[in-house]
Amino acid sequence: MISSYTQDCLKRPIPSAVVMGGVFSVFDAAMGQRVTPKSVASYMAFIYTYNAMQCPMEEIHGRRSALHNALSGGIIGYIGVTTNRI
């Protein structure tokens, strides 16, 4: 069973992922790159995943930590580089 903390933690990053995915897409458009629904969705998915990956770590440790940010960012960066997204 998923705890109420985890449920809230997984829902909380949705609005920020949508907004920041749109912002990054605007940056792409301003630099003359082609913006597609796939690129916008990729930004949103990576931002959401980055935030959602921290939920179990926060629940286990009982607090937020810079280490959680570093681990989540490192894993997402590794995935982005190995799949040629960044």
Side-chain angles (χ1 to χ4, degrees):
M1 189 79 175
I2 297 177
S3 72
S4 63
Y5 175 81
T6 302
Q7 287 177 349
D8 291 338
C9 188
L10 292 175
K11 292 177 187 174
R12 197 175 328 126
I14 294 172
S16 63
V18 171
V19 169
M20 291 309 297
V23 168
F24 289 142
S25 297
V26 168
F27 289 157
D28 281 350
M31 292 188 302
Q33 295 181 7
R34 193 169 135 229
V35 177
T36 63
K38 181 180 177 182
S39 67
V40 175
S42 293
Y43 281 132
M44 290 178 187
F46 276 113
I47 293 168
Y48 176 81
T49 303
Y50 166 77
N51 287 303
M53 286 177 66
Q54 295 177 43
C55 293
M57 292 184 261
E58 289 175 3
E59 190 165 14
I60 290 168
H61 292 116
R63 61 184 173 87
R64 291 183 169 190
S65 170
L67 180 60
H68 302 157
N69 287 325
L71 286 172
S72 296
I75 292 168
I76 292 296
Y78 173 78
I79 291 169
V81 169
T82 58
T83 59
N84 292 323
R85 293 190 184 269
I86 56 174

